[in-house]
Amino acid sequence: MGRQPCCDKVGVKRGPWTIEEDHKLMNFILNNGIHCWRTVPKLAGLLRCGKSCRLRWINYLRPDLKRGGFTEMEEDQIIQLHSLLGNRWSKIASHFPGRTDNEIKNHWNTKIKKRLKLLGLDPVTKKPIERKEQVDDEKNKANLHPNTSKGYEVNVDIKSLDNNETKEVMPKTEGKIEEKENKLTWDAEVRNYEMQTTQVDLGSWTSQVNNTSASSYCSSSFSLDDSSYPSLGQYPYLQGNSLQQWLDNMDSFLSWDTFNLLDDDLSLENRHY
DNA sequence: AACCATCGCAACCGCAATCAG
DNA sequence: CCTGATTGCGGTTGCGATGGT
């Protein structure tokens, strides 16, 4: 089945967002919630496509975003999760409240990969690079995975982490991971990892994510009249502040330190939008 | 000072998954 | 169940910032 473009690109603005546009989008979402991304730009008075609005909100405007560099602990956790999950950035990001998949992906590509290489480790296998090359040679000989030119994402090897036999992660370009067949094993694998992880209370985090009440403001299907949909009051750190106050602060929101300070005091709710 | 290379990150693109009629 | 619409995701690109020559 073919796919329509998300919007007709005629008359749709592209490129970097202006502060004015950000204000409009934020104002709209905080007042009305997200009913349907496709209608958001029209209702908010923006010449953007819904997809662009969604991305802007998720990656930049959401109040619960944690800005600032990744700590070494976070990096280590990303590396561990990546060895389990591969390039499934959204899954990885779900373990980092306030972080976006885009942010983690960028950080991985620009920093962590380099860091691992400096340590003489292959970013994918976390094994010494020499050994990886050997493996590649063997693959070439066997004429496997012609798409390796696509990059590192095709070689996720989590077998080395566990003796179970079913959790092989296939490259996306070769077809989607056999998620359904392997789902139970996969979930168990991730749970196992989470139980082993002591740096972050992943258990409570995932339970938050699974908690239906917590998911209420993350739902993408609510009506504009529905009191359960995301609104200003759903963001704990905004309670007590007027929308105008917050928007005023946003005049200088390129400096996100304000949010980071708030983040220190308030535990953030889950972040699936 | 001017130019070039590299880096970092926001934003875009296209596909797959999911939803709704 | 089928089909079209919408959302979510991961890969990639574009560009401003920064550093080096």
Side-chain angles (χ1 to χ4, degrees), chain A residues 25-237:
Chain A
L25 181 59
M26 252 183 337
N27 221 334
F28 177 80
I29 291 177
L30 292 174
N31 282 317
N32 305 295
I34 307 151
H35 176 57
C36 166
W37 282 113
R38 201 178 167 82
T39 61
V40 164
K42 198 175 283 182
L43 297 174
L46 290 161
L47 295 172
R48 297 272 180 176
C49 75
K51 211 170 175 176
S52 179
C53 293
R54 178 184 158 270
L55 213 64
R56 184 65 180 170
W57 174 256
I58 288 174
N59 288 335
Y60 201 76
L61 296 176
R62 258 170 45 203
D64 64 339
L65 278 180
K66 186 196 277 183
R67 291 271 154 178
F70 285 78
T71 64
E72 212 164 306
M73 194 188 278
E74 282 178 311
E75 285 192 357
D76 290 342
Q77 212 193 337
I78 290 171
I79 292 166
Q80 287 180 47
L81 284 164
H82 186 269
S83 63
L84 266 177
L85 300 166
N87 289 3
R88 304 208 291 183
W89 304 114
S90 63
K91 291 242 188 259
I92 293 173
S94 68
H95 291 89
F96 297 89
R99 300 290 194 187
T100 69
D101 53 352
N102 206 33
E103 195 180 10
I104 290 174
K105 179 173 61 181
N106 281 336
H107 191 70
W108 174 269
N109 286 327
T110 59
K111 302 265 181 69
I112 299 180
K113 265 163 84 174
K114 274 178 208 159
R115 184 181 148 197
L116 288 173
K117 277 176 186 166
L118 273 175
L119 293 169
L121 300 172
D122 183 90
V124 178
T125 63
K126 285 66 178 181
K127 293 172 189 165
I129 282 171
E130 300 74 38
R131 186 172 168 194
K132 163 78 167 47
E133 283 163 356
Q134 244 181 354
V135 170
D136 283 349
D137 282 349
E138 279 161 23
K139 269 186 181 171
N140 289 339
K141 279 178 200 160
N143 206 18
L144 292 173
H145 285 315
N147 60 334
T148 44
S149 62
K150 264 289 215 184
Y152 55 85
E153 82 275 12
V154 296
N155 290 323
V156 176
D157 178 9
I158 59 175
K159 279 186 177 172
S160 61
L161 298 169
D162 192 297
N163 292 328
N164 287 347
E165 67 290 340
T166 54
K167 318 155 302 294
E168 192 171 8
V169 178
M170 298 300 291
K172 191 183 175 187
T173 48
E174 293 280 301
K176 208 60 182 175
I177 296 162
E178 312 285 2
E179 226 164 331
K180 278 168 192 159
E181 285 176 27
N182 296 336
K183 187 165 193 325
L184 290 176
T185 322
W186 179 264
D187 289 347
E189 177 77 16
V190 174
R191 224 173 294 125
N192 184 38
Y193 163 77
E194 288 173 349
M195 278 157 49
Q196 288 171 13
T197 306
T198 55
Q199 293 161 326
V200 174
D201 185 0
L202 297 173
S204 66
W205 170 244
T206 44
S207 71
Q208 275 183 31
V209 169
N210 293 330
N211 183 316
T212 48
S213 66
S215 68
S216 64
Y217 86 74
C218 301
S219 164
S220 60
S221 58
F222 37 78
S223 82
L224 290 173
D225 300 324
D226 186 345
S227 60
S228 71
Y229 74 77
S231 64
L232 185 59
Q234 302 271 4
Y235 302 105
Y237 26 67

